[in-house]
């Protein structure tokens, strides 16, 4: 198997780290070598964040290269566009429609682009758009946006649902297992 | 899976210390090194502590080693600058129990104020340095470092970079080796570094490094992978992984020991390959030494001394494949900001309102430098806010400094702000220093410090009283304010900066992220009352923005701190009904 490259992108505080760890555990469960790369500190305080996940028979570099990502999972709309150049030609980009204004936009020094989805669709790759926040609210906890998105991702990967749920149970805090599984399933049927 | 686990590089280092039988670990938190010590603290067999700064941490570590325990000290690259004083001398005294110093560099400056290369410290302090290239090696190299430390009677550095510290890869775990404390013998010729003894020890240090350089030619951490001999690469650490990715067939000499270098091994390798490249992030440390031996190599001529490397970079510069990659979109930047509900925000809002300048420091409050708060003018290193402020006063006089304050956090104040404050009092300064006391070390992920009342192991301990401390060193004007009460902060800043005496204002409220359990009730904007004046946006809370030309509070971000409600003159910001 060729090494699979996934990028999880979003805004610090959105739970991208936890999501990547679920993916890491998923790869281990499936018997692969896996590497995850993330950056802590500054980037977590509402900044733009990215986690690289690579799995396969033998993985060397912990970083996905530009133009090589099979999947980009974007927690925030504009962040999808920021990292889009990492996607390979026939890759999949899954984007949550949630908008979080960065400070330069808040203070009026810059403008949030209003055609993000259209721009994403200009390339040949597959674009999956979802309002994961609305789904999470329906489930009653806006913090589970991340597992809703994982459900969407699961539909687009050939790993069985049971292995996914195992990986989720193993990674999230015990108290939140139930709501996360619910969110995962909601995301799965959304796709 | 069994004994295989996915581990952060930092977690693997901690595991390595555990398996090596270490019993003492000391550090000051600093990204990307912080988690090492947090993971070490989870092992009951190891005593672990935060020290107020890296110099103290290393000195505690030296004491522990002298008395016979295997000891690990961890810090980030800029922390080594703080610890440099004992560092250069412990190379002379050597060790008793193994002493391993972990240092995490940050190429690309993901969360640092410079990109310094710690390999220079290894060279200038004459201390051997190992560098792993993934989590499993991180664990194994730490064990190797302990053995080496005792075998050669020297402290040993293990260097990580952000991409090793904060990457996760698979680690095979082993049992802990029980290492009894070594007996302590008083030996002043070895441990009392006055000139007469130190001169003797310097000779020992030279001999030891010479021996280690010799042995490095056969050391198992330095590995040669011969393949296609048209390209040879000498590399170490995470760049090794990029080399394997891009040039899977090339011959590679991977240096697990980055100081001292194995001259014979390198010369032999160089002879076997046609074109030799050096792939090292940051400074040309291998390159300069290897070139000085008359070996022909390509390195920084085609690569760079800035930032992190990547497989793409090597693909373009060494394999010479033009990749024709898409360039990233030009989008509004998203710099990190202080969290919604951050207690620092209220202070910055007032400083901005009063048009005060501020010397700043290292911590979450550095995030207040950008608009709209524009809260600090300078940021150099830990403690510099206090001492620089005094320098400004001495250069420009008493009137000038009345428009200035110094800003420092509680943890940073204990790290190296105290001495600056003593300096202000001693040298008759009149500066006003604001300690933003959020009861934690926020930026690195909420570590305890001497002012929080808890140790690293979670035990209750004495709480350093900042008010008493300031008074005891001679500050007579000390006041505590609540940063969520803007009028209180404003009055204090006005009054204290006007005084021709030194003052300390302690703005005290816990970091928003410390207590996530309590249910937050978000605020919202009552659009009927809102005059759309935009005042609330001046506090720079990321939860408040303008959507469709109307003020809007994002309920998924708002922490319910209520600061904006106090800023709004029209009472348009109200609590969400529950
Ligand atoms: S972590 Fe705490 S101190 Fe740091 S910005 Fe957030 S609320 Fe403020
Ligand atoms: S109450 Fe106001 S200032 Fe506080 S977090 Fe919410 S929006 Fe921000």
């Amino acid at each position: 198997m060729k090494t699979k490259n996934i990028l999880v992108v979003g805004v610090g505080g959105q739970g991208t780290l936890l999501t990547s760890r679920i993916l890491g555990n998923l790869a281990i469960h499936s018997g692969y070598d896996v590497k995850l790369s993330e950056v802590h500190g500054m980037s977590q305080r509402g900044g733009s964040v990215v986690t690289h996940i690579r799995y396969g028979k033998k993985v060397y570099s912990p970083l996905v290269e530009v133009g090589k990502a099979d999947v980009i999972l974007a927690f925030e709309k504009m962040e999808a566009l920021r990292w889009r150049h990492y996607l390979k030609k026939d890759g999949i980009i899954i984007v949550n429609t949630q908008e979080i204004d960065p400070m330069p936009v808040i203070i009026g020094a810059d403008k949030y682009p209003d055609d993000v989805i259209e721009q994403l669709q200009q390339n040949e790759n597959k674009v999956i758009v979802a309002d994961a926040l609305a789904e999470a609210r329906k489930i009653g906890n806006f913090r589970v946006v991340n597992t809703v998105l994982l459900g969407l991702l699961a539909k687009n990967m050939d790993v069985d649902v049971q292995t996914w749920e195992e990986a989720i149970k193993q990674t999230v805090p015990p108290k939140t297992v139930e709501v996360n599984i619910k969110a995962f399933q909601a995301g799965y049927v959304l796709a | 899976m069994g004994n295989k686990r996915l581990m952060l590089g930092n977690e693997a280092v901690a595991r390595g210390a555990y398996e090596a039988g270490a019993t003492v670990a000391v550090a000051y938190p600093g990204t990307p090194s912080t988690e090492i010590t947090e993971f070490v603290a989870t092992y009951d067999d190891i005593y672990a502590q935060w020290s107020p700064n890296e110099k103290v941490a290393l000195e505690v570590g030296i004491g522990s080693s002298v008395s016979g325990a295997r000891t690990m000290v961890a810090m980030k690259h800029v922390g080594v600058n703080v610890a440099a004083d004992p560092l250069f001398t412990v190379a002379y005294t050597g060790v008793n129990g193994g002493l391993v110093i972990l240092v995490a560099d940050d190429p690309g400056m993901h969360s640092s104020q410079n990109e310094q290369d710690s390999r220079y410290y290894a060279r200038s302090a004459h201390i051997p340095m190992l560098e792993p290239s993934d989590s499993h090696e991180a664990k194994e190299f730490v064990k190797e470092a302990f053995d080496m430390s005792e075998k050669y009677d020297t402290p040993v550095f293990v260097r990580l970079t952000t991409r090793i510290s904060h990457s996760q890869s698979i680690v095979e775990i082993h049992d802990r080796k029980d290492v009894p404390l070594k007996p302590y013998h008083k030996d002043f010729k070895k441990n009392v570094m006055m000139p007469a003894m130190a001169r003797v020890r310097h000779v020992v240090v030279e001999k030891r490094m010479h021996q280690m350089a010799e042995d490095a030619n056969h050391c198992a951490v330095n590995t040669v992978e011969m393949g296609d001999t048209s390209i040879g690469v000498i590399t170490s650490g995470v760049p090794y992984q990029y080399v394997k990715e891009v040039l899977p067939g090339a011959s590679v000499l991977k240096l697990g020991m980055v100081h001292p270098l194995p001259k014979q091994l390198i010369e032999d390798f160089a002879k076997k390959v046609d074109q030799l490249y050096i792939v090292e992030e940051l400074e040309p440390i291998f390159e300069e030494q290897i070139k000085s031996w008359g070996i022909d190599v390509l390195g920084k001529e085609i690569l760079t001394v800035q930032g992190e490397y990547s497989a793409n970079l090597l693909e373009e510069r060494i394999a010479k494949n033009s990749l024709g990659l898409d360039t990233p979109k030009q989008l509004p930047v998203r710099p990190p900001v202080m969290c919604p509900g951050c207690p620092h925000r209220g202070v910055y809002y007032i400083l901005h309102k009063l048009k005060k300048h501020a010397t700043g420091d290292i911590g979450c409050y550095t995030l207040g430098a950008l608009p709209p708060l524009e809260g600090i003018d300078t940021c150099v290193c830990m403690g510099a806010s206090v001492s620089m402020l005094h320098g400004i006063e001495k250069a420009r006089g008493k009137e000038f400094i009345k428009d200035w304050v110094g800003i420092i956090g509680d943890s940073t104040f204990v790290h190296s702000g105290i001495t600056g404050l003593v300096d202000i009092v001693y040298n008759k300064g009149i500066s006003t220093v604001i300690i933003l006391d959020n009861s934690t070390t926020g930026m690195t992920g909420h570590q305890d410090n001497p002012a929080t009342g808890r140790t690293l192991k979670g035990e209750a301990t004495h709480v350093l009283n900042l008010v008493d401390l300031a008074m005891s060193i001679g500050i007579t004007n000390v006041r505590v304010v609540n940063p969520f009460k803007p009028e209180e902060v404003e009055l204090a800043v006005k009054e204290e900066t006007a005084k021709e005496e030194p003052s300390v204002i302690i703005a005290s409220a816990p970091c928003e992220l410390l207590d996530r359990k309590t249910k937050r009730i978000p605020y919202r904007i009552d659009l009927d009352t809102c005059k759309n004046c935009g005042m609330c946006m001046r506090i720079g809370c990321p939860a408040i923005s303008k959507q469709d030309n109307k003020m809007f509070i994002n309920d998924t971000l708002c922490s319910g701190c209520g600061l904006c409600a106090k800023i709004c003159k029209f009472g348009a910001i109200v609590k969400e009904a529950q």
Side-chain angles (χ1 to χ4, degrees):
Chain A
M1 181 195 116
K2 263 193 71 195
T3 302
K4 279 266 180 201
N5 295 316
I6 303 178
L7 224 53
V8 177
V9 306
V11 175
Q14 278 192 301
T16 53
L17 284 190
L18 187 70
T19 309
S20 329
R21 281 181 198 154
I22 295 174
L23 286 167
N25 280 325
L26 186 78
I28 283 213
H29 267 295
S30 314
Y32 293 120
D33 185 21
V34 56
K35 283 192 177 160
L36 248 68
S37 184
E38 58 205 29
V39 167
H40 309 169
M42 283 275 199
S43 47
Q44 275 175 66
R45 307 274 179 273
S48 170
V49 290
V50 54
T51 307
H52 302 244
I53 299 123
R54 307 189 70 220
Y55 65 90
K57 253 185 74 179
K58 169 83 191 148
V59 178
Y60 287 108
S61 167
L63 294 179
V64 174
E65 298 303 321
V66 173
K68 297 270 179 69
D70 298 281
V71 180
I72 295 181
L73 187 61
F75 281 47
E76 200 273 351
K77 211 165 74 174
M78 186 169 70
E79 293 309 306
L81 203 53
R82 191 187 307 283
W83 299 97
R84 212 224 67 108
H85 59 294
Y86 272 77
L87 201 63
K88 66 177 192 189
K89 287 258 167 331
D90 52 350
I92 303 174
I93 188 158
I94 299 173
V95 45
N96 179 19
T97 52
Q98 191 175 349
E99 285 182 16
I100 299 175
D101 283 348
M103 207 38 80
V105 169
I106 290 181
I107 63 169
D110 217 330
K111 201 176 150 288
Y112 196 102
D114 45 21
D115 58 344
V116 172
I117 302 296
E118 290 76 6
Q119 286 199 54
L120 289 171
Q121 281 162 342
Q122 271 163 23
N123 296 69
E124 288 103 278
N125 42 256
K126 185 166 169 189
V127 184
I128 299 171
V129 184
D131 188 349
L133 181 60
E135 281 307 308
R137 283 198 207 272
K138 266 193 235 157
I139 294 158
N141 186 344
F142 68 76
R143 290 189 200 286
V144 295
V145 167
N146 51 349
T147 19
V148 173
L149 287 168
L150 274 183
L152 272 157
L153 175 62
K155 198 68 176 278
N156 287 280
M157 274 170 68
D158 41 4
V159 179
D160 60 276
V161 171
Q162 222 173 354
T163 314
W164 273 98
E165 298 196 347
E166 257 325 298
I168 292 172
K169 278 182 199 153
Q170 199 193 350
T171 322
V172 304
K175 281 184 305 192
T176 67
V177 166
E178 202 182 320
V179 58
N180 272 298
I181 295 290
K182 242 175 148 178
F184 173 78
Q185 288 163 350
Y188 196 83
V189 296
L190 209 65
Chain B
M1 255 163 64
N3 54 354
K4 282 194 180 157
R5 279 172 46 197
L6 198 55
M7 273 192 190
L8 210 56
N10 283 348
E11 184 180 2
V13 164
R15 179 76 201 183
Y18 169 78
E19 289 180 9
T23 53
V24 176
V26 203
Y28 180 80
T31 315
S33 71
T34 311
E35 300 84 3
I36 295 172
T37 317
E38 292 181 317
F39 281 115
V40 166
T42 63
Y43 294 107
D44 291 340
D45 299 299
I46 306 178
Y47 168 78
Q49 71 164 49
W50 294 127
S51 280
N53 65 36
E54 294 83 357
K55 177 179 187 289
V56 175
L58 180 54
E59 289 157 351
V60 171
I62 296 170
S64 155
S65 162
V66 162
S67 72
R70 284 197 157 191
T71 304
M72 182 167 75
V73 182
M75 59 196 68
K76 69 181 291 183
H77 62 321
V78 288
V80 190
N81 302 329
V82 180
D85 195 0
L87 181 74
F88 280 65
T89 303
V90 71
Y92 278 35
T93 63
V95 305
N96 184 20
L99 177 63
V100 172
I101 304 165
L102 245 300
V103 50
D105 286 2
D106 189 14
M109 294 177 279
H110 297 285
S111 46
S112 308
Q113 62 271 39
N114 67 42
E115 269 189 314
Q116 100 196 16
D117 192 324
S118 297
R119 292 177 300 166
Y120 276 129
Y121 269 114
R123 286 192 72 190
S124 58
H126 306 292
I127 296 175
M129 179 179 258
L130 306 185
E131 181 177 23
S133 71
D134 62 19
S135 296
H136 184 71
E137 270 187 10
K139 186 190 70 128
E140 292 303 309
F141 281 19
V142 165
K143 294 199 303 196
E144 178 65 38
F146 274 109
D147 290 344
M148 246 182 212
S149 172
E150 286 169 5
K151 177 171 170 205
Y152 293 97
D153 187 17
T154 176
V156 175
F157 266 125
V158 175
R159 177 197 192 224
L160 306 179
T161 54
T162 302
R163 283 301 159 198
I164 301 294
S165 282
H166 288 170
S167 287
Q168 301 187 43
S169 59
I170 295 175
V171 174
E172 198 178 322
I173 57 177
H174 301 108
D175 291 338
R176 175 174 167 93
K177 186 164 107 185
D178 256 317
V179 182
L181 289 178
K182 287 193 164 181
Y184 172 73
H185 298 294
K186 179 164 170 157
D187 183 352
F188 70 87
K189 287 190 174 153
K190 185 168 185 286
N191 292 323
V192 182
M193 283 303 97
M194 47 206 233
M197 328 284 180
R199 277 181 209 117
V200 178
R201 292 301 300 178
H202 192 176
V203 178
V204 175
V205 171
E206 289 304 320
K207 245 176 90 185
R208 168 218 297 158
M209 285 316 284
H210 193 77
Q211 185 63 50
M212 291 197 82
E214 225 10 79
D215 296 353
N217 291 307
H218 318 286
C219 179
V221 295
N222 293 329
T223 52
V224 176
E225 300 167 25
M226 284 316 285
D228 172 8
T229 53
S230 62
I231 293 184
V233 183
I234 298 178
T235 186
S236 71
V238 77
Y240 163 78
Q241 309 289 1
Y242 307 144
V243 170
K244 293 300 283 182
E245 198 78 41
V246 175
L247 306 163
S251 296
V252 180
L253 166 52
K254 173 172 174 290
L255 296 169
M257 177 138 73
V258 295
H259 179 71
L261 292 186
K263 191 171 175 213
Q264 192 64 50
L265 189 67
I266 291 171
E267 282 175 344
D268 290 349
F269 182 74
K271 276 188 203 124
K272 289 186 199 144
V273 298
D274 302 340
Q275 177 63 61
L276 187 57
Y277 295 92
I278 307 282
V279 179
E280 56 184 328
E281 281 175 339
L282 299 180
E283 300 296 324
I285 292 178
F286 301 156
E287 186 177 330
E288 283 176 354
Q289 292 175 81
I290 292 170
K291 278 182 172 165
S292 79
W293 302 333
I295 298 173
D296 197 17
V297 298
L298 275 178
K300 298 297 174 189
E301 297 94 335
I302 55 167
L303 297 163
T304 168
V305 291
Q306 282 151 23
E308 296 188 281
Y309 284 12
S310 65
N312 277 348
L313 181 82
L314 304 186
E315 180 110 35
E316 289 192 313
R317 310 269 172 96
I318 296 182
K320 304 208 178 60
N321 294 329
S322 152
L323 297 171
L325 299 169
D326 278 3
T327 42
K329 291 263 178 228
Q330 287 301 311
L331 291 169
V333 292
R334 193 185 291 279
V337 288
M338 287 184 292
C339 306
C342 176
H344 305 331
R345 186 166 281 113
V347 173
Y348 280 139
Y349 169 72
I350 292 302
L351 292 176
H352 192 99
K353 184 176 167 197
L354 299 177
K355 299 200 171 62
K356 296 284 179 200
H357 293 271
T359 49
D361 224 295
I362 311 284
C364 283
Y365 41 90
T366 316
L367 301 174
L370 298 180
L373 293 167
E374 298 174 279
I376 55 171
D377 295 43
T378 66
C379 172
V380 175
C381 66
M382 289 198 137
S385 59
V386 183
S387 352
M388 282 175 69
L389 188 67
H390 182 63
I392 293 170
E393 186 216 315
K394 291 304 167 189
R396 314 260 336 205
K398 291 191 168 160
E399 275 316 305
F400 190 82
I401 209 67
K402 287 179 185 168
D403 284 330
W404 285 71
V405 296
I407 299 268
I408 191 165
D410 50 336
S411 184
T412 314
F413 178 72
V414 179
H415 178 282
S416 49
I418 293 175
T419 41
L421 199 59
V422 169
D423 188 44
I424 288 175
V425 176
Y426 173 57
N427 288 303
K428 305 184 172 192
I430 66 155
S431 295
T432 298
V433 171
I434 303 181
I435 301 176
L436 297 178
D437 175 15
N438 63 354
S439 310
T440 190
T441 315
M443 180 56 92
T444 45
H446 309 97
Q447 290 73 29
D448 282 299
N449 68 55
T452 68
R454 265 176 323 276
T455 68
L456 169 58
K457 290 270 191 183
E459 290 160 11
T461 184
H462 179 76
V463 186
L464 172 66
N465 185 317
L466 296 172
V467 176
D468 290 354
L469 176 87
M471 303 222 308
S472 74
I473 62 174
I475 306 264
T476 43
N477 309 296
V478 185
R479 58 207 267 183
V480 180
V481 296
N482 179 345
F484 289 108
K485 294 193 173 148
E487 334 76 62
E488 198 176 303
V489 178
E490 183 166 350
L491 189 68
V493 172
K494 275 188 184 154
E495 289 180 359
E496 297 308 326
T497 51
K499 287 181 188 160
E500 298 210 341
E501 286 170 16
S503 313
V504 168
I505 300 172
I506 302 171
S508 187
C511 166
E512 161 61 21
L513 299 188
L514 274 184
D515 185 13
R516 297 226 106 170
K517 289 171 290 291
T518 46
K519 195 162 163 47
R520 307 280 167 187
I521 304 174
Y523 278 70
R524 70 178 172 82
I525 307 224
D526 177 33
L527 289 175
D528 296 333
T529 327
C530 175
K531 299 265 189 291
N532 227 1
C533 67
M535 265 306 277
C536 54
M537 293 196 15
R538 298 217 188 143
I539 57 174
C541 174
I544 311 177
S545 61
K546 219 171 205 172
Q547 308 263 314
D548 304 323
N549 220 18
K550 289 188 204 90
M551 305 309 304
F552 167 75
I553 293 181
N554 183 333
D555 68 333
T556 68
L557 295 178
C558 173
S559 76
C561 74
L563 182 68
C564 54
K566 292 189 191 116
I567 304 295
C568 175
K569 289 200 187 77
F570 308 104
I573 305 184
V574 290
K575 257 197 181 156
E576 192 81 69
Q578 279 287 306

